[in-house]
Amino acid sequence: MKLNERYGVILSLLQDLHPTAQSELNFSNPYELIVSVILSAQCTDRRVNLTTPALFAKFPTVRHLAEASFEEVFELIHSISYPNNKARHIIAMAQRVVSGFGGEIPTGIDDLMSLPGVGRKTANVVASIIDSAPVIAVDTHVFRVAHRLGLSKGTTPRAVELDLERHIPAEMRPDAHHWLLLHGRYTCTAKKPQCEHCGLKPYCKSAV
């Protein structure tokens, strides 16, 4: 099977398996989204969703967060992973948004990556959700699934991102990111993948 054919078959099956292609983070605006994505690094979406209601109740806008103290924010997010760094990052991010972008969360990848605590993966997630940007955010789930399904041999997240974007039509990329992520999160897990229940097993290079 040629690579383009592999992509076509796998994307079609992923769409059928995961028809609801959306983030599992709870948010109601771009400010809440970018904070939630920063907090979700090496942490489950479920834990973030349990944490953010109190955070957003106390700091409902980016301007409120920009004026917060480290101690105030840390107290509200201490149950997630790396709360010290993340508290500093989201405060600094908010301050930069206020000072450099008039209090509006930017949508451009380069602008997003200029914010403290925002790397390429976070920038791609935010841009694809806010602005339907034709990008693929590569986290550990997407990286793993892309390799197992033979979609990429890239050795870095950026290399995998470029491979996926080279073969996935621009209009499909925001959804494809979620298809791959959800498949890795619930079926093609790092440990004990659910191969016996996976509709993609015939096309998987790592099925057991």
Side-chain angles (χ1 to χ4, degrees):
M1 179 182 289
K2 293 182 179 179
L3 187 57
N4 284 336
E5 295 173 337
R6 171 174 289 275
Y7 266 87
V9 170
I10 288 173
L11 289 173
S12 178
L13 289 171
L14 283 171
Q15 184 174 20
D16 291 340
L17 291 168
H18 307 284
T20 304
Q22 60 185 20
S23 174
E24 293 187 314
L25 292 169
N26 295 334
F27 63 93
S28 59
N29 55 55
Y31 157 64
E32 293 184 0
L33 172 63
I34 193 169
V35 170
S36 296
V37 177
I38 292 172
L39 296 181
S40 72
Q42 295 178 287
C43 186
T44 65
D45 287 359
R46 179 178 179 275
R47 170 53 56 187
V48 173
N49 289 338
L50 291 172
T51 302
T52 50
L55 179 70
F56 295 144
K58 186 161 187 176
F59 306 110
T61 70
V62 70
R63 293 184 184 277
H64 288 93
L65 184 59
E67 296 175 356
S69 70
F70 168 83
E71 291 75 17
E72 289 175 311
V73 173
F74 178 84
E75 179 62 27
L76 292 168
I77 70 167
H78 70 274
S79 65
I80 68 171
S81 60
Y82 307 104
N84 286 287
N85 287 340
K86 290 178 181 179
R88 294 188 177 92
H89 283 159
I90 63 173
I91 293 170
M93 177 278 297
Q95 291 170 342
R96 173 61 179 150
V97 168
V98 170
S99 66
F101 298 96
E104 298 293 328
I105 305 300
T107 58
I109 299 297
D110 290 340
D111 286 340
L112 284 164
M113 289 180 65
S114 74
L115 302 176
V118 178
R120 176 167 289 276
K121 186 207 78 173
T122 296
N124 282 0
V125 171
V126 173
S128 66
I129 293 175
I130 292 177
D131 204 37
S132 296
V135 294
I136 298 280
V138 178
D139 64 1
T140 57
H141 298 301
V142 174
F143 188 91
R144 179 175 65 255
V145 172
H147 275 259
R148 287 180 176 175
L149 293 177
L151 301 179
S152 175
K153 296 180 180 178
T155 57
T156 65
R158 180 59 173 158
V160 172
E161 176 187 340
L162 292 173
D163 282 342
L164 295 175
E165 291 181 357
R166 190 176 298 115
H167 294 94
I168 298 175
E171 66 274 10
M172 292 181 66
R173 291 173 195 165
D175 287 341
H177 158 70
H178 293 298
W179 298 336
L180 291 163
L181 185 154
L182 293 172
H183 196 67
R185 181 175 290 169
Y186 296 113
T187 303
C188 193
T189 52
K191 298 179 180 179
K192 297 182 180 179
Q194 307 299 307
C195 297
E196 67 275 17
H197 304 302
C198 181
L200 292 165
K201 185 175 181 179
Y203 306 96
C204 182
K205 294 183 177 293
S206 303
V208 295

